[in-house]
Amino acid sequence: MSANISALAIRRPIPVIVLFFVLTVLGILSFNRLPINADPNVNFPVVTVTVTQSGTSPDELENSVTRRIEDAVAGMANVRHITSTISEGQSVTSVEFALETDSDRAVNDVRNAVSQIRSELPQSIDSPIVDRMDVEGGAILYYALNSPNLDQTELAYFIDNEITRALLATQGVQQVTRLGGEKREIRVLLDPASLNSYGLTAVQVHNIIAQTNANIAGGRAILSEQEQSIRVLASSKSLEALKELSIAISGGRRVKLSQIADIIDSHAEVRSKARLNGKEVLAFNVSRTRGSSDTVVANGVQNAIKSLNEQHADINISEIYSLVDNTKENYNVAISTLVEGAFLTVLIVFLFLRSWRATLVAAISLPLSILPAFAVMDMLGYTLNSISLLALTLVVGILVDDAIVEIENIERHLSLGKRPYKAALDASDAIGFAVIAISLTIVAVFMPVSFISGVVGQYFSQFGVTVSVAVLASLLVARLATPLLATYILAPHAHKESIERESSIKKAYVKVLEMALKFRKTSLMVGVLLFILSLMLVPLLPTGFVPKADIGSSQINITLPPSSTLAQTDARFRELDKLIREHEEVNHVFMSAGGDETNKGWLLVRLKPHNERSISQKEFEDRLGGELAKFADMRFSFSNEYSQRDISIMLSGNDPATLKETAIRLKAQMREVKGVANPQINAPLAKTELQVSLLANEAAKRGVTPQAVGDLLRIATVGDTGGTSARFNLLDRQIPIRVTLKEEARNDIEILRSLRVDSTDGSVVSLNTVATLSYGEGLSSIERFDRERRISVDADLVSGYTIGGVLGEINALEVMKNLPAGVKVPEYGDAEYMNEMFEQFGLTMGFGVMMVFVVLVLLFKDFLQPLTILVAMPLSIGGVIAGLLAYKAALDLAAVIGILMLMGIVTKNSILLVDFVIEKRAGGMARLEALINSGKERARPIIMTTIAMVAGMLPAVFASGSGAAFRAPMAVAVICGLIASTLLSLVFVPVVYSLMDDFKNFLLPRLARLTSVTKEDKER
């Protein structure tokens, strides 16, 4: 069948030319259409439930809200983990489902579960918000604003209105988030002395403004035979009108708002600050929609920003940081590596064959094999990302492999004096079976990768499909295009000089082969011994999950004591900014201090390009970490590219005291583990708070409720701008009106004690007569995992160490071996993913090897000789381990994929040898002579294809950029394993073939006795 296809292509070239012309055009069009992203599009079904209840403590929220929501969703199908974070006034529960769960269905199911228990939740909470967490929704662009003419409030409005509107109109932009600055507000700053003298409370003033400063719908009526809507217009037209608002007080008197408060047009309380290189700025970040291209979105945003800068000359919008730069760098490096690998591969063909015509055939074969892969990627909705580009980068040497085998065999037939037409027909007929077997075994290994489940499978399903499609395209090229091109491009010639030059090496190889075949058992024992030694080296390899990438930026999360004010946090951040910018590797520093919690913030350190600094990102973080550790009152952590700490050991249980004690012991013991830096306990800290305790008898006698006291203090200190609060109407928007005490008053405990509070009978009483105010401590937040309290001990990884090795040492610590009753260590994060990775890839590799065996059995119609071909697999292990040890790489995701790739391509050598031996023996040649001739004639194409594949992958070892940490170990594993397998296969495969043949001759007569089927029966 294969011979007929090649012969048909040679005799009828027009259909073949049209076929590849169409595939090439489709490939080029698809390549230009494919989105360019950092990572594959993933779909992690994570649903969040957010519940807010202003002013409620974390422990109260935990009991009244969080536990009930967790119990409601725990019984749902496919729930993997439930994680809750509870802070003051807010509970956020994240429900992680199994990956095969439909995200939209998961959102609906969670929403229904929460709705069913709504009556059991406190009535004073805001409506629960159920939403899907979008993993791809992270910010990809950061910008800063400054202006000599506009203040922070005006710039904040410019971001919220002008910039957000312009960018959301850009294709692919999902969200624009402002960093720093506050919205404009009308502030009503009450004077507590005036309130008390007039017998008013802060709550009364707030309610009066909300009720009287509003435009209210009044229904409709038919007047003058026309339907008219009715509106009550009471909203103040100006700030002066608001000041004149009349408020009724006791005794039938009235007082103007301006007599009891200062009314100013200002902004909300500043709770966060952003700085760029120490200078205060306003900033914003941009997130893209799912499935859109990083580069397309970035280009659209940059064009929009350029237009805004031109339209508003007094505002300068500058880029702080772009994750898309890393995406572009990875893309450019991958394409360069692809081109360099293709060039080196073609160069190897020329050096071996010394024919520009044969080299031209190989050069044409490469794009014909790669371009159809782009068409299939486009059809399947894939993107040009780190994984798909990595697949093409590493497969470039394999793609030309089939063509090289075809060309070399045609060249050999040409050297026998045949004309190109005849040589192409005969050579393609002779080699066709081996070419098909080689390609199908590679596909048999890689296709299972597409069906890997779990987190790893989400990222690497595209890898297996991309490689398989490219290999199948190369098979199509080798069977159709290569014989056709060789027919019309090659010329009759004989490489006598080349043959003579190789004769000395070939003679030495033949002597080794003859010796191995003479002492077969000894040779077999040597091979087994090499394999055992290889396995003994495995424990020397550290294990890991994903290599640490140098993305050129470091994010540092900072936590100060819980009661730190924004001013204190900002001062510390300015100190850190100065410290960090003293490092010559730093380009600029952006910081965001405060937010919901004023004691927290983060710094984004942008490093200089790779070629302008002498140390890696990890080395910089190690050096900076030592300097930051000198601040005793500060927690800090470096986030990796997934916004996580390198090491995270989670402890869970229902006894908070036992959890904390265990975490303290674990932290102390982790300090002694090599490879661990900056271990910290990630647990909620105690926060000083003002506690109000009602005097039960006095409060009951005077009709004062806890709700009334809570409303009073909330309005007096922070105000309320919720849906029922007053609004000040402008032409283009509404501005909230916030009622609070003056700043100096709301920060004075004596003034708070003297405030008046509403009673149930309509009178007001002094707060200090019904309650006591004192200082106390409470939890600032609570963390839960799978319906239990959790504490984690997090740390950074020292350069040169891997997550697997360090986790192994941590798990061997005394505290981990003797955990208190009720304390567990659930697998989560990198530890869970790493175990999942080895499990999934182990199953995939086993299934792939089985599929290779099945394919070989079907092709060779034999059960024993395919085992001979599989001998090449274990022979490659020693090379892989030696290469990884020499490169100081770990057995991580990159190396595992390299090994998987290796399993598919090392069988090539065995197939070429065994197929040739079978062919020679079918022609009447004795077995020993067939084995030696097979080694002589197949050694050249085997070595040639191996060197070509090595050359194709070599640029991936030396390529720079943020993706180098992932590409290089994978390429090293493949290159070293391939070299070892090639050298050993040339000797051991013939030996194993002869032993298998003897075993077959021994077994067949005995098996024949078990059946009545004869040779004559089969021939009938």
Side-chain angles (χ1 to χ4, degrees), residues 399-419:
L399 296 183
V400 79
D401 183 63
D402 292 342
I404 289 176
V405 172
E406 292 269 8
I407 295 168
E408 194 279 337
N409 204 40
I410 293 172
E411 285 282 335
R412 191 170 62 84
H413 280 259
L414 286 172
S415 66
L416 300 176
K418 297 180 181 178
R419 297 285 300 167

Side-chain angles (χ1 to χ4, degrees), residues 51-57 60-61 64-65 89 118-128 707 711 714 720:
V51 178
T52 56
Q53 187 178 20
S54 182
T56 309
S57 65
E60 186 176 342
L61 266 178
S64 63
V65 175
R118 179 63 182 87
S119 60
E120 302 175 20
L121 302 178
Q123 297 304 306
S124 57
I125 66 171
D126 297 325
S127 296
Q707 184 67 49
D711 289 344
R714 177 171 52 83
D720 188 2

Side-chain angles (χ1 to χ4, degrees), residues 751-807:
I751 291 178
L752 294 178
R753 283 194 178 106
S754 67
L755 292 177
R756 303 293 178 89
V757 60
D758 294 291
S759 67
T760 54
D761 61 6
S763 63
V764 296
V765 298
S766 180
L767 179 61
N768 58 14
T769 63
V770 295
T772 60
L773 279 69
S774 60
Y775 292 105
E777 284 189 346
L779 290 176
S780 58
S781 64
I782 294 174
E783 301 284 341
R784 293 173 58 82
F785 179 79
D786 285 346
R787 298 192 288 170
E788 293 182 325
R789 288 282 187 96
R790 73 164 181 177
I791 291 179
S792 64
V793 182
D794 303 335
D796 299 317
L797 203 60
V798 177
S799 296
Y801 290 86
T802 61
I803 182 69
V806 173
L807 282 177

